[in-house]
Amino acid sequence: LASTFKLVRPAQRKQATTAAMVATRARRASGEGTPKQTATKRVAARSKSPAPKKPAARAKSPAPRGKKPSSKKGQRKPPPPVGLYDRALATYPVATNAAQAGLMSFASALASQSLAGIPVDELDYEKPLHFGAVAALVVAPLSLVFFNFVENLSVPAKLLFDLVVGGPVLNVGFVAALGLLRGQSLESIVATVSSVDQFWVALVLASNKVWLPAKVFMYGFLPARYWGLWCAVVSFVWGIILAVIVV
């Protein structure tokens, strides 16, 4: 039995080896290879498969030439216009300031006549029209130029500019333009603005009693876009004084 078992066992091994060789040849012929080789190929194929692409980031558009990219930090933008008056100021600043200055001066000249006791049917409308025209066409545009110049200055510097430059120039322009509307000669206008007592003391220095406190409040507490409106309101009071002084 032992000898028979020894003879059968090599034969079985030979048959198993022959069957394995036949299976290997069949796999090679079909291109599959051995199971170990097939598993190795699958792992290699997985490692070579491309990774999923990430969405490309949007390229930032370059800033236009000649302009530096603005930094939002540290910049204070003025508040957008809200009401009808603010939109008018933003769209037509000169016309809006001229209209309100002219209307206030016209109303102040009429009020001065009423305070003097003149009946309504006897009011003189020519003088108020002259005051309103000068305020709208001369005083308001000059005031806007001065406002733009002093906007970034300190409050003391603004007040000093008004005392030395702004006030005298506006008063001279007002009296000169009013004289031209009334048909006065150039010599008469020059004589008026050259008079120390009647012009520089009675008019220019007297104006500081009204305008200096008004400008202190304006420069200290009001936004720049409302300076013209504040001056128009103060001019209503000052216009009554002018209507009495400038006969």
Side-chain angles (χ1 to χ4, degrees):
L1 291 173
S3 59
T4 304
F5 180 77
K6 290 180 180 179
L7 291 173
V8 171
R9 190 173 182 179
Q12 291 177 349
R13 290 180 178 176
K14 187 175 181 180
Q15 290 177 359
T17 304
T18 304
M21 291 175 62
V22 172
T24 301
R25 290 175 182 176
R27 291 191 190 96
R28 288 179 179 176
S30 61
E32 293 182 359
T34 63
K36 187 176 182 180
Q37 291 176 348
T38 304
T40 305
K41 289 182 180 180
R42 290 177 180 176
V43 172
R46 290 177 182 176
S47 62
K48 291 181 181 180
S49 61
K53 296 183 180 181
K54 296 182 179 180
R58 294 182 179 180
K60 296 182 179 180
S61 58
R65 295 182 179 179
K67 293 184 179 180
K68 296 182 179 180
S70 58
S71 175
K72 294 183 179 179
K73 296 182 179 180
Q75 293 184 355
R76 296 179 60 186
K77 295 183 178 180
V82 179
L84 180 62
Y85 178 74
D86 285 342
R87 288 197 294 268
L89 276 179
T91 309
Y92 309 105
V94 178
T96 303
N97 283 279
Q100 65 192 11
L103 288 174
M104 284 295 186
S105 294
F106 177 82
S108 66
L110 284 179
S112 65
Q113 296 184 45
S114 299
L115 292 175
I118 301 176
V120 178
D121 55 349
E122 297 180 6
L123 291 177
D124 180 15
Y125 289 94
E126 183 179 4
K127 187 175 182 179
L129 286 174
H130 289 167
F131 271 61
V134 172
L137 301 178
V138 178
V139 177
L142 282 177
S143 298
L144 287 179
V145 173
F146 293 156
F147 291 161
N148 292 331
F149 178 77
V150 304
E151 184 175 358
N152 296 323
L153 301 179
S154 62
V155 174
K158 293 173 183 175
L159 295 174
L160 181 62
F161 178 85
D162 280 341
L163 289 174
V164 177
V165 180
V169 170
L170 290 175
N171 282 302
V172 170
F174 180 86
V175 172
L178 189 62
L180 291 175
L181 282 178
R182 292 179 173 180
Q184 296 179 1
S185 62
L186 185 60
E187 291 79 6
S188 176
I189 296 173
V190 172
T192 301
V193 299
S194 300
S195 175
V196 176
D197 294 333
Q198 295 181 0
F199 182 76
W200 293 101
V201 175
L203 185 60
V204 177
L205 292 180
S207 67
N208 292 327
K209 298 178 183 179
V210 176
W211 284 105
L212 184 58
K215 290 295 183 67
V216 171
F217 176 80
M218 182 182 79
Y219 290 142
F221 300 100
L222 294 181
R225 65 179 182 274
Y226 294 137
W227 288 355
L229 177 62
W230 174 250
C231 289
V233 173
V234 177
S235 70
F236 179 82
V237 178
W238 178 237
I240 296 175
I241 300 174
L242 278 181
V244 176
I245 295 177
V246 183
V247 181

